[in-house]
Amino acid sequence: MDHFQKSIYDLIVETSTNLPADVRKAIHAAQEHEDKGTRSALALSTIAENIQMAESSVSPICQDTGMPTFMIRCPVGVNQIAMKKKILEAVTQATKDSKLRMNSVDSLTGDNQGNVGPGMPVINFEQWERDNIEVRLILKGGGCENKNIQYSLPADLEGLGKAGRDLDGIRKCIMHAVYQAQGQGCGAGFIGVGIGGDRASGYELAKKQLFRAVDDINPNTELRELEEYVMENANKLGIGTMGFGGKVSLLGCKIGAANRLPASFFVSVSYSCWAFRRQGVTLNAGTGKIEGWIYKSGTGISMKDITAEGASGKPGDQMESRREIFLNTPISEDQIRQLKVGDVVVINGLIHTGRDALHKYLMDHDCPVDLNGAVIYHSGPVMSKDADGAWSVRAAGPTTSIRTEPYQGDIIRKFGIRAVIGKGGMGQKTLAALKEYGAVYLNAIGGAAQYYAKCFKKVTGVHFMEFGIPEAMWHLQTEGFTAIVTMDSRGNSLHADVEHDSLEKLIKLKEPFFK
């Protein structure tokens, strides 16, 4: 199969840079349903623009390209060992070409090994009786992977009470899974649900559901009714895009079931962000050439047009008032104290990236640059070097901030940081530090890696490359970086408010629906 490696490379590039048609249509529908003038409507508009930018530049939609997972079905007699070798070579080349971020981290040493290492990428083979090869690929980032959840029934669920070993207990688990994700999984998202199996096969079944088309119909009547129930009622929780509050919290729900042991009853939920990157190809078993694409390409479905149509949305009961404020770094405490939740902030000047490794390091060490009045951006960018050896930003959306909660308040106090940018919000310890020391949390739009990459005009330096490119501290000259204040220095948190309101709505779904 002389063309197999090239076909896999093309599959990786298409999956990373171009959302398929069914996903685009789901985002379009969300835009049309959301009230205009809201934070969620603004986020959906940014998402639509980012999708178009990624397609046009053939660059990653989101900087977190996840753990590449291949599902392969092939005829008897095809050399699976040779196929795996070619897949690893294609993944390595795609990483060198900045179509994938370096994501394979040694769990013991922390060394980033690109995208190839023990257990990575994931490659699953299955034989079938057809004479061609089918390869499906999903790129599911760490932020939404962390919002996966597995329930063992019976269970007591917050807001919903007892979930038994029956269809109504399954319903409660799925609704709770959507609630617990809030905005940390780059919602509005998609979920795959696996009922039964053991702990490992249950999660595998859940992830396989994400390979189904968004608009397909479940052949099982009970599961189809459950999918329809979840889609209707999850979007009544008011979580909204990015957890900003709104009418659309879920874009798709697919459910599958498998047999289980008498002693075990697992409900496994695999959460995927709006940047639902999955694609597949059929290949000629003799040559390895692509014969067809499994999901209709999004090329030709202009997200620019969708933005124009969807940005108007429907008139809400009340337009969300917001101010637009321009800030240049370094930022003073007085400027920060004037900001409040809901303000749109546009930042110019130097921004520093910092993720888990940097925050842990700074707890016990000095910083090589002055962070007084600075902005820290929770982001692990995709970077590349040009012919002259200069670095450039290829993709740079925000990462989930809650992982730095154990450190963030202390880092703000120690270094005088005035703004933290990320996604999904942070906890009470950080909120208290924002209030005491005069800082704010700014929520950027998760997954919008191209939208934000355009704001970084120059890489002025980098520290801690030993942490790996995503975890290094990049110093970026910035113009026009826009984000929303969701936690201010007055003790207010939009994330806490939305979580409280959505819990009240979740409680209303406590009574049995399936009897």
Side-chain angles (χ1 to χ4, degrees):
M1 293 191 295
D2 295 337
H3 299 276
F4 182 78
Q5 182 175 329
K6 175 62 164 56
S7 296
I8 296 299
Y9 178 87
D10 290 344
L11 172 62
I12 294 169
V13 172
E14 179 70 8
T15 308
S16 178
T17 66
N18 190 8
L19 287 184
D22 61 337
V23 177
R24 294 191 183 213
K25 289 176 181 177
I27 295 172
H28 185 185
Q31 286 185 289
E32 291 187 321
H33 187 65
E34 193 58 78
D35 289 339
K36 72 174 183 179
T38 61
R39 288 178 285 266
S40 283
L42 176 64
L44 285 166
S45 179
T46 302
I47 286 168
E49 183 176 349
N50 183 79
I51 293 169
Q52 192 67 34
M53 292 173 67
E55 179 192 348
S56 298
S57 62
V58 196
S59 298
I61 296 163
C62 174
Q63 79 285 345
D64 186 354
T65 52
M67 180 176 286
T69 300
F70 295 88
M71 308 293 290
I72 304 170
R73 294 194 281 187
C74 57
V76 175
V78 172
N79 189 333
Q80 296 180 8
I81 295 175
M83 291 171 65
K84 182 176 180 179
K85 181 180 178 181
K86 294 296 184 183
I87 290 171
L88 296 180
E89 291 174 357
V91 167
T92 299
Q93 187 60 51
T95 305
K96 290 180 179 178
D97 295 343
S98 299
K99 307 304 181 183
L100 296 175
R101 187 178 72 179
M102 295 179 66
N103 264 2
S104 183
V105 179
D106 186 299
S107 297
L108 301 182
T109 67
D111 180 39
N112 193 314
Q113 301 170 342
N115 278 299
V116 173
M120 189 168 181
V122 176
I123 306 173
N124 293 316
F125 286 101
E126 178 185 351
Q127 290 183 335
W128 64 353
E129 295 180 349
R130 300 182 186 177
D131 59 4
N132 62 355
I133 298 171
E134 177 186 275
V135 183
R136 298 185 189 229
L137 169 63
I138 188 167
L139 301 175
K140 188 168 174 289
C144 57
E145 188 71 13
N146 287 344
K147 302 315 296 183
N148 292 352
I149 190 167
Q150 188 175 70
Y151 303 87
S152 179
L153 297 180
D156 287 307
L157 303 178
E158 182 183 14
L160 293 169
K162 182 72 71 178
R165 292 184 161 195
D166 53 23
L167 193 60
D168 206 67
I170 296 166
R171 171 191 71 89
K172 288 184 177 181
C173 290
I174 299 172
M175 295 305 299
H176 183 268
V178 177
Y179 161 75
Q180 64 88 34
Q182 291 292 312
Q184 294 177 18
C186 288
F190 300 80
I191 57 172
V193 181
I195 303 168
D198 62 12
R199 287 198 181 274
S201 63
Y203 266 131
E204 183 179 10
L205 177 61
K207 199 165 192 176
K208 283 182 176 179
Q209 300 308 304
L210 296 175
F211 284 105
R212 290 169 51 190
V214 176
D215 56 357
D216 76 355
I217 297 175
N218 198 316
N220 183 297
T221 301
E222 288 183 316
L223 296 184
R224 180 170 67 249
E225 291 177 355
L226 183 55
E227 289 175 352
E228 292 170 352
Y229 171 91
V230 171
M231 286 303 299
E232 178 182 353
N233 289 278
N235 287 319
K236 294 178 181 177
L237 294 178
I239 298 169
T241 304
M242 296 297 125
F244 288 166
K247 289 186 174 182
V248 181
S249 303
L250 193 64
L251 298 171
C253 172
K254 302 299 175 185
I255 307 172
N259 286 3
R260 60 179 177 84
L261 294 170
S264 303
F265 198 125
F266 298 113
V267 178
S268 310
V269 181
S270 183
Y271 190 96
S272 179
C273 58
W274 67 262
F276 188 19
R277 292 157 293 170
R278 56 101 168 93
Q279 186 52 272
V281 289
T282 56
L283 306 176
N284 183 287
T287 66
K289 284 187 175 181
I290 295 175
E291 294 181 331
W293 293 85
I294 294 173
Y295 306 96
K296 184 179 179 181
S297 174
T299 301
I301 300 177
S302 173
M303 295 305 293
K304 183 177 181 180
D305 293 340
I306 289 176
T307 303
E309 295 169 8
S312 59
K314 298 179 180 179
D317 296 330
Q318 183 177 358
M319 296 280 284
E320 291 174 351
S321 60
R322 57 175 176 263
R323 301 179 300 168
E324 187 172 83
I325 298 167
F326 290 80
L327 295 175
N328 295 313
T329 61
I331 305 170
S332 69
E333 181 177 351
D334 182 62
Q335 289 175 302
I336 291 298
R337 295 287 185 187
Q338 295 179 45
L339 299 177
K340 61 183 180 179
V341 165
D343 287 343
V344 176
V345 174
V346 182
I347 296 176
N348 298 307
L350 203 59
I351 285 179
H352 312 276
T353 68
R355 284 170 48 108
D356 312 53
L358 178 70
H359 281 74
K360 181 178 184 296
Y361 176 88
L362 291 181
M363 290 291 289
D364 301 313
H365 300 84
D366 290 333
C367 186
V369 296
D370 184 6
L371 293 180
N372 188 39
V375 175
I376 287 288
Y377 183 28
H378 295 163
S379 179
V382 177
M383 308 293 293
S384 66
K385 277 186 176 181
D386 61 24
D388 298 327
W391 287 102
S392 61
V393 181
R394 296 295 300 272
T399 194
T400 305
S401 295
I402 198 66
R403 299 196 309 275
T404 65
E405 177 66 14
Y407 313 111
Q408 195 66 74
D410 294 325
I411 298 300
I412 290 170
R413 172 191 56 80
K414 183 177 180 180
F415 294 101
I417 292 166
R418 293 296 171 207
V420 175
I421 305 173
K423 70 175 183 183
M426 303 194 72
Q428 289 300 314
K429 183 179 178 181
T430 299
L431 185 61
L434 300 179
K435 184 176 181 180
E436 182 175 357
Y437 303 112
V440 292
Y441 178 82
L442 305 174
N443 205 119
I445 309 305
Q450 295 306 310
Y451 179 85
Y452 290 114
K454 71 177 182 180
C455 301
F456 301 125
K457 305 304 181 182
K458 183 180 180 181
V459 179
T460 63
V462 61
H463 286 92
F464 307 113
M465 280 292 282
E466 62 270 25
F467 295 163
I469 286 178
E471 296 280 2
M473 187 182 196
W474 296 92
H475 313 297
L476 308 174
Q477 192 63 38
T478 308
E479 292 181 13
F481 189 106
T482 304
I484 298 174
V485 178
T486 53
M487 299 170 69
D488 62 26
S489 62
R490 309 174 191 192
N492 301 309
S493 171
L494 174 65
H495 308 284
D497 292 344
V498 170
E499 184 172 355
H500 178 268
D501 291 345
S502 60
L503 178 59
E504 290 187 340
K505 294 180 174 69
L506 184 71
I507 291 171
K508 295 178 181 179
L509 303 175
K510 183 176 183 178
E511 293 304 313
F513 182 82
F514 296 101
K515 300 180 181 178

